[in-house]
Amino acid sequence: MPLKSTLLRTHPRLIVAILCGVLAALACVGLTPLMRVLVGWNACAWLYVALIALLAHGATAEQVRGLADIEDENAEAVLMLVSAAAIASLVAIVFELAGARDLQGGEKLLRYAFTGSTVLGSWFLIGTIFAMHYARMYYTAAQPPLQFPDRERQPDYWDFAYFSFTLSVAVQTSDVAIASPGLRRVALAQSIICFLYNTAILGLSINIAAGIVG
């Protein structure tokens, strides 16, 4: 099966978000190329997070298991590509902030607000894409690679989001135990990415605050 058809079948929400991001970037004809890319990235990131939130709302453990089987193809490639794109957005933001120093008044504040939206959207996207990956790993493994404290029920998307965003915020696993070397490597990768990302957010926040005060 062609890669395009496979991705559309296994990750339809991601494909829809990417297409909307491309259309948003193409529609902003009056902006610089870098700004158009960031507008497209914002549209893609926030739409994907919203679509996954809608999917998670009311989804049962059996539905999560069924979707995990479908999404098994190309899952690792999607995870790496989205994570790389999110990190690349930070590089674009640095260049964008450098150009914002010469702006004045409301235009400068608007640029900083847009930068904050980009950083926050990328952070939520990373946590969301890892949560989906943990759900896939859990329900396609022979033995559960995560041990949740309430073992009498099967976990749903909110449980995996809790685990993923705990790593994103605190870079630790809280009350969920990792019981698989494979998942431990994925959690390590997320911890490193989120540590770098959180450090970058702190640096950007200081830069923005200094720019507003200055």
Side-chain angles (χ1 to χ4, degrees), residues 35 48 76 89 118 137-138 144 156 173 184 206 211:
M35 274 294 290
Y48 180 73
E76 287 79 8
S89 72
T118 305
M137 293 185 72
Y138 184 94
D156 58 20
T173 59
R184 194 172 291 117
I206 294 173

Side-chain angles (χ1 to χ4, degrees), residues 63-191:
Q63 290 172 323
V64 177
R65 183 191 300 274
L67 286 171
D69 290 333
I70 295 173
E71 293 175 348
D72 193 35
E73 294 182 75
N74 307 115
E76 287 79 8
V78 169
L79 181 69
M80 289 187 293
L81 286 173
V82 172
S83 298
I87 294 173
S89 72
L90 285 179
V91 178
I93 288 170
V94 170
F95 285 102
E96 190 59 31
L97 281 178
R101 294 175 181 174
D102 299 328
L103 300 177
Q104 299 296 326
E107 188 177 0
K108 188 174 186 177
L109 291 176
L110 184 61
R111 185 69 62 87
Y112 284 147
F114 179 73
T115 298
S117 171
T118 305
V119 172
L120 191 60
S122 298
W123 186 84
F124 270 106
L125 179 64
I126 290 174
T128 301
I129 202 74
F130 270 95
M132 298 296 289
H133 193 69
Y134 292 134
R136 184 200 67 80
M137 293 185 72
Y138 184 94
Y139 280 112
T140 56
Q143 296 293 329
L146 288 173
Q147 295 179 353
F148 291 89
D150 47 347
R151 301 184 184 182
E152 67 277 4
R153 69 175 184 85
Q154 292 296 306
D156 58 20
Y157 279 126
W158 295 112
D159 295 299
F160 296 109
Y162 165 75
F163 175 73
S164 178
F165 280 97
T166 298
L167 281 176
S168 296
V169 172
V171 198
Q172 62 180 7
T173 59
S174 185
D175 56 344
V176 181
I178 299 176
S180 161
L183 196 141
R184 194 172 291 117
R185 287 191 289 270
V186 176
L188 174 61
Q190 184 185 1
S191 298

Side-chain angles (χ1 to χ4, degrees), residues 16-38:
V16 168
I18 290 173
L19 290 176
C20 288
V22 171
L23 291 175
L26 293 175
C28 299
V29 293
L31 301 179
T32 64
L34 182 56
M35 274 294 290
R36 293 174 71 180
V37 169
L38 289 178

